[in-house]
């Protein structure tokens, strides 16, 4: 073509864009230079692009001789790029060459990594020049003019798994078993296969699983045996052949001779296969009985499945109720633990108050010079200073005996009660082999008194107090410590003798609790179980408290647990 022809093919807006408009003048000298340079280069660039596109179109289009389009390297590269492939041939896994009008397969030597090749709807008359594609797994050759399969057509293509030869002019299947041992799917729909002799090649394909052979010219009773020859065949599409219409009980006969068949123009179910086998053995009566038995077995199976489901429902509901009861028990246990903690806290507080009051009373007695025991007066001897002529040294044994006699402490104390065993209490570890001797609490108390008196004497000496004042301090501290330790020992003895449980404190209903009770009663419509959950009390206690609040207002509006009577003399009922 000449440049004039290229200009005629260029669109009008491209021609206008290639040259600057005449009615506009450049403002500066630099603008005019840039416009001249762009005007000089743009026609050449557009000319090259247009010529390349026209060359590709000419190779794809038919020439004057009618030979058809050629499969050149440039065309193959352009087809790869157009279908999101690569310009480098060895990088392409799939190559789409369908609907191009090719007459011959050629120039595929560089595409060694192909796994899928599409050559549908071309003008191919033979299969050639693909023996180097050793990795090819799928090839689509439908809608061509192929009449025979050459002996060397698939030589070297041993990895082929799927072959599509539909809508061609094949009259016989041949040369497939030797070259394609791994073939699993074969599509030969809409060909001209006439009889069982033309498809005997199927028996030599050990891995064939799916066969599509619709709308051919298959006839004869031996077609069923030819189709049953592949050992692993499990799917057949054979609709549109004369044998399907001419052979009586076609489907049942195929199911009887092909035990692995799961699809024959439609899915094959187990009841249909059993009915076909029964028909083969006993005719239509056996087939009918087989269908009835299958329906009864299915019904029994469904009933058993429903029974198992109902049993599972009962178990799940029982587990749910058990978990709910456990949660209720946990809430009650938590409430009891909370009450026990509050009771223990109150007891400790009362003990602290009592101890503080006792300490203040003892301090007052010390200041007045009189120290008496809480149980009985202390039978103490007069304290004599060391420089007194009647002062005598006393041994520790005599002092211990004196304290025991003065405060009524005996050694034969009863053993403490054993704690009650609980099923939730873990088993105690085995006792150690070494036996430890437990010290007497009285001896521990006496030792503590001695240490306190000794420390007080040392402190008085360090402070350089007068002798009389030091003696008085020592006497007071001595008697005070003896009294405290004796009381502690007596309390320990009483606790060992008998543990008296403290009487439970009576619940006091406050005004705030009455208000909350009234609100919950209205919300739950007198469901005292829910009211008890909200207040943390028992349902019986809530019901009794609500009954106590119920009454008649005699004079003026009164307050019933946060509920105000509307007018004087009007009966107030529950829920009002």
């Amino acid at each position: 073509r000449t440049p004039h022809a290229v200009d005629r093919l260029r669109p009008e807006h491209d021609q206008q864009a290639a040259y600057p408009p005449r009615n506009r003048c450049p403002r500066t000298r630099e603008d005019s230079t840039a416009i001249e340079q762009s005007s000089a280069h743009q026609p050449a660039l557009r000319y090259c692009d247009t010529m390349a596109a026209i060359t590709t179109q000419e190779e794809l289009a038919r020439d004057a001789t009618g030979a058809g389009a050629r499969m050149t390297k440039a065309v193959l590269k352009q087809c790869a790029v157009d279908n999101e492939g690569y310009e480098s041939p060895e990088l392409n896994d799939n190559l789409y060459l369908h609907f191009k009008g090719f007459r011959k397969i050629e120039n595929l030597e560089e595409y060694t990594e192909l796994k899928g090749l599409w050559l549908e709807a071309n003008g191919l008359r033979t299969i050639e020049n693909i023996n180097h594609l050793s990795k090819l797994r799928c090839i689509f050759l439908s809608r061509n003019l192929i009449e025979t399969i050459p002996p060397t057509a698939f030589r070297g293509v041993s990895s082929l798994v799927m072959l599509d030869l539909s809508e061609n002019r094949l009259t016989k299947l041949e040369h497939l078993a030797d070259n394609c041992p791994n073939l699993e799917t074969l599509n030969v729909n809409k060909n001209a296969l006439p009889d069982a002799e033309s498809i005997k090649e199927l028996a030599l394909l050990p891995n064939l699983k799916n066969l599509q052979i619709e709308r051919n010219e298959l006839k004869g009773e031996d077609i069923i045996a030819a189709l049953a020859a592949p050992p692993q065949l499990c799917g057949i599409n054979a609709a549109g052949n004369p044998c399907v219409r001419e052979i009586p009980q076609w489907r049942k006969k195929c199911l009887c001779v092909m035990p692995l068949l799961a699809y024959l123009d439609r899915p094959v179910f187990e009841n249909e296969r059993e009915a076909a086998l029964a028909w083969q053995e006993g005719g239509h009566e056996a087939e009918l009985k087989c269908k009835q038995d299958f329906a009864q077995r299915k019904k029994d199976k469904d009933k058993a499945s429903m029974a198992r489901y109902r049993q599972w429902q009962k178990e799940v509901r029982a587990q749910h109720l058990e978990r709910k009861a456990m949660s209720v028990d946990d809430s009650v246990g938590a409430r009891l633990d909370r009450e026990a903690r509050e009771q223990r806290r109150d007891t400790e507080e009362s003990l602290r108050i009592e101890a503080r009051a006792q300490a203040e009373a003892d301090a007052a007695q010390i200041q007045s010079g009189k120290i008496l025991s809480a149980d009985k007066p202390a039978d103490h001897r007069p304290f004599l200073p060391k420089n007194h002529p009647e002062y005598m040294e006393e041994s520790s044994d005599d002092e211990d005996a004196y304290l025991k006699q003065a405060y009524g402490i005996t050694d034969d104390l009863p053993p403490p009660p054993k704690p009650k065993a609980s099923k939730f209490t873990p088993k105690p570890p085995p006792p150690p082999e070494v036996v430890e001797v437990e010290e007497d609490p009285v001896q521990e108390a006496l030792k503590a008194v001695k240490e306190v008196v000794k420390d007080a004497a040392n402190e008085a000496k360090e402070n350089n107090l007068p002798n009389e004042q030091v003696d008085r301090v020592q006497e007071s501290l001595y008697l005070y410590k003896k009294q405290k330790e004796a009381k502690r020992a007596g309390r320990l003895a009483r606790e060992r003798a008998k543990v008296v449980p403290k009487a439970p404190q009576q619940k006091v209903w406050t005004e705030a609790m009455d208000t909350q009770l009234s609100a919950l009663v209205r919300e739950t419509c007198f469901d005292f179980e829910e009211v008890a959950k909200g207040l943390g009390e028992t349902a019986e206690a809530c019901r009794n408290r609500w009954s106590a609040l119920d009454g008649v207002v005699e004079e003026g509006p009164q307050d019933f647990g946060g509920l105000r009577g509307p007018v004087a003399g009007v009966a107030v009922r529950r829920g009002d």
Side-chain angles (χ1 to χ4, degrees):
R1 293 177 180 271
T2 61
H4 301 285
V6 175
D7 293 338
R8 287 195 298 270
L9 291 174
R10 184 182 295 118
E12 182 178 357
H13 65 276
D14 288 347
Q15 296 180 10
Q16 294 177 359
Y19 302 97
R22 297 181 179 179
N23 56 353
R24 293 184 59 186
C25 298
R27 297 182 179 180
T28 60
R29 182 175 300 177
E30 291 78 4
D31 294 343
S32 61
T33 306
I35 292 174
E36 291 176 0
Q37 292 178 357
S38 61
S39 302
H41 289 287
Q42 284 182 0
L45 294 174
R46 294 186 178 279
Y47 173 75
C48 296
D49 296 341
T50 306
M51 288 301 298
I54 291 175
T55 304
T56 304
Q57 292 176 3
E58 286 181 348
E59 291 177 352
L60 291 174
R62 298 185 179 184
D63 56 7
T65 59
R70 290 195 57 192
M71 194 181 297
T72 61
K73 294 183 178 181
V75 172
L76 294 176
K77 183 183 296 186
Q78 186 65 31
C79 291
V81 173
D82 291 343
N83 292 279
E84 299 181 358
Y86 303 94
E87 293 185 357
S88 299
E90 62 275 6
L91 298 179
N92 290 282
D93 294 337
N94 300 320
L95 188 60
Y96 302 91
L97 302 175
H98 50 294
F99 293 94
K100 301 297 182 184
F102 297 130
R103 301 292 184 175
K104 183 180 180 182
I105 303 175
E106 55 184 344
N107 295 322
L108 294 175
E109 290 77 10
E110 297 178 354
Y111 296 84
T112 56
E113 300 294 327
L114 285 182
K115 296 180 181 179
L117 180 59
W118 278 259
L119 290 169
E120 300 171 325
N122 285 288
L124 304 177
R125 295 183 178 273
T126 184
I127 305 172
E128 56 185 348
N129 298 328
I130 61 171
N131 307 108
H132 61 284
L133 303 177
S134 59
K135 298 182 180 180
L136 191 66
R137 295 178 58 84
C138 304
I139 184 169
F140 300 87
L141 294 167
S142 61
R143 300 184 187 182
N144 282 286
L145 305 174
I146 301 173
E147 298 180 355
T148 58
I149 301 176
T152 61
F154 298 104
R155 184 175 298 174
V157 193
S158 59
S159 301
L160 195 64
V161 175
M162 195 276 175
L163 176 60
D164 187 0
L165 291 171
S166 60
E167 300 187 36
N168 280 283
R169 301 177 181 179
L170 294 176
T171 57
K172 186 177 182 181
L173 298 180
E174 53 187 351
H175 308 302
L176 294 177
D178 298 336
N179 301 323
C180 306
N182 299 320
L183 190 64
E184 296 180 0
T185 302
L186 178 61
N187 188 351
V188 288
N189 292 336
K190 297 183 181 180
N191 278 278
L193 301 174
D195 50 17
E197 183 67 20
S198 61
I199 59 173
K200 66 179 182 179
E201 185 75 10
L202 298 177
L204 304 177
L205 297 174
N207 296 318
L208 186 63
K209 299 178 181 179
N210 184 15
L211 176 62
Q212 299 183 20
I213 196 169
E214 296 179 351
R215 298 186 183 182
N216 279 273
E217 300 176 4
L218 298 176
K219 298 179 182 180
E221 292 285 342
D222 53 351
I223 292 294
I224 297 177
L227 294 177
Q232 297 187 17
L233 190 62
C234 57
I236 298 177
N237 283 18
N241 288 284
C243 60
V244 178
R245 300 187 300 269
E246 295 173 358
I247 298 178
Q249 306 295 336
W250 155 264
R251 187 175 179 83
K252 295 178 183 178
K253 291 180 180 179
C254 290
L255 294 180
C256 292
V257 299
M258 289 181 272
L260 298 180
L261 197 62
Y263 191 92
L264 181 61
D265 297 327
R266 65 176 184 270
V268 178
F269 298 100
E270 189 63 26
N271 59 340
E272 186 180 5
R273 188 185 305 278
E274 292 181 3
L277 294 175
W279 169 82
Q280 185 182 15
E281 295 176 358
H284 292 285
E285 296 180 357
E287 179 185 3
L288 181 60
K289 186 177 183 303
C290 179
K291 290 181 178 180
Q292 293 176 355
D293 295 343
F294 185 86
Q296 185 63 32
R297 290 198 305 271
K298 185 177 183 302
K299 186 177 180 180
D300 296 342
K301 183 178 178 181
D302 295 342
K303 187 181 296 185
S305 177
M306 181 58 67
R308 289 194 301 271
Y309 174 71
R310 296 299 183 190
Q311 182 64 26
W312 174 80
Q313 273 188 334
K314 292 181 181 178
E315 294 177 358
V316 171
R317 288 172 181 171
Q319 294 176 2
H320 176 70
L321 293 176
E322 183 178 358
R323 287 195 299 268
K324 188 175 181 181
M326 291 177 63
S327 64
V328 172
D329 294 342
D330 293 342
S331 63
V332 173
R335 183 171 59 82
L336 294 177
D337 293 342
R338 185 173 62 255
E339 293 178 356
R341 287 195 301 270
E342 293 177 356
Q343 185 177 358
R344 186 169 57 253
R345 192 183 306 113
D346 296 342
T347 304
E348 293 175 356
E349 183 66 23
S350 62
L351 290 177
R352 282 195 296 269
I353 294 172
E354 182 181 354
R356 191 180 302 110
Q358 184 66 31
E360 293 176 356
D362 293 342
Q365 292 178 2
I366 290 173
Q367 291 180 1
S368 61
K370 299 178 181 180
I371 301 179
L372 299 177
S373 172
D375 300 332
K376 60 182 179 178
D379 185 14
H380 61 83
R381 291 167 292 181
F383 182 80
L384 299 177
K386 291 182 179 181
N387 54 3
H388 197 274
E390 296 181 3
Y391 177 79
M392 295 177 61
E393 291 287 343
E394 296 180 357
S395 63
S396 61
D397 297 336
D398 297 340
E399 187 177 358
D400 296 344
Y402 168 73
L403 290 175
K404 291 181 179 179
Q405 183 181 2
Y407 292 96
I409 301 174
T410 59
D411 295 334
D412 51 350
L413 297 176
K418 296 183 180 180
K420 295 183 180 179
S422 175
K423 63 178 181 180
F424 300 102
T425 305
K427 296 182 179 180
E433 297 180 0
V434 180
V435 179
E436 297 181 0
V437 179
E438 184 177 2
E439 296 184 1
D440 190 5
V442 177
Q443 298 294 334
E444 294 179 1
L446 294 176
K447 291 179 181 179
V449 169
K450 292 177 182 178
E451 292 177 0
V452 170
V453 172
K454 186 177 179 180
D455 295 339
N458 294 335
E459 183 178 0
K461 290 180 181 180
E462 291 176 359
N463 295 333
N464 297 324
L465 298 175
N467 293 333
E468 297 179 358
Q469 188 175 0
V470 169
D471 295 339
R472 183 174 296 178
V473 169
Q474 289 180 356
E475 181 183 6
S476 300
L477 289 175
Y478 180 77
L479 295 176
Y480 177 73
K481 294 300 180 181
K482 285 198 298 182
Q483 180 186 10
K484 297 297 290 186
E485 296 298 332
K487 288 177 62 177
R488 186 181 304 171
R491 185 167 59 251
L492 180 60
R494 289 193 298 273
E495 289 177 357
R496 286 184 177 181
K498 183 179 180 181
V499 179
V500 180
K502 188 177 179 180
Q505 297 180 358
Q506 188 176 2
K507 184 66 177 181
V508 178
W509 286 82
T510 61
E511 183 178 355
M513 295 180 62
D514 292 341
T515 304
Q516 188 178 4
L517 173 66
S518 304
L520 290 175
V521 166
R522 289 194 186 94
E523 291 178 1
T524 59
C525 295
F526 298 93
D527 187 355
F528 286 96
E529 297 292 338
E530 297 296 330
V531 173
K533 293 180 181 179
L535 288 175
E537 296 291 339
T538 61
E540 186 65 24
C542 295
R543 189 178 292 105
N544 295 337
R545 183 59 182 173
W546 180 253
S547 300
L549 293 177
D550 191 8
V552 178
V553 181
E554 296 181 356
E555 295 181 359
Q558 297 181 5
D559 187 6
F560 293 93
L563 296 177
R564 299 285 182 176
V567 293
V570 180
V572 180
R573 299 173 301 171
R574 301 174 188 174
D576 290 346

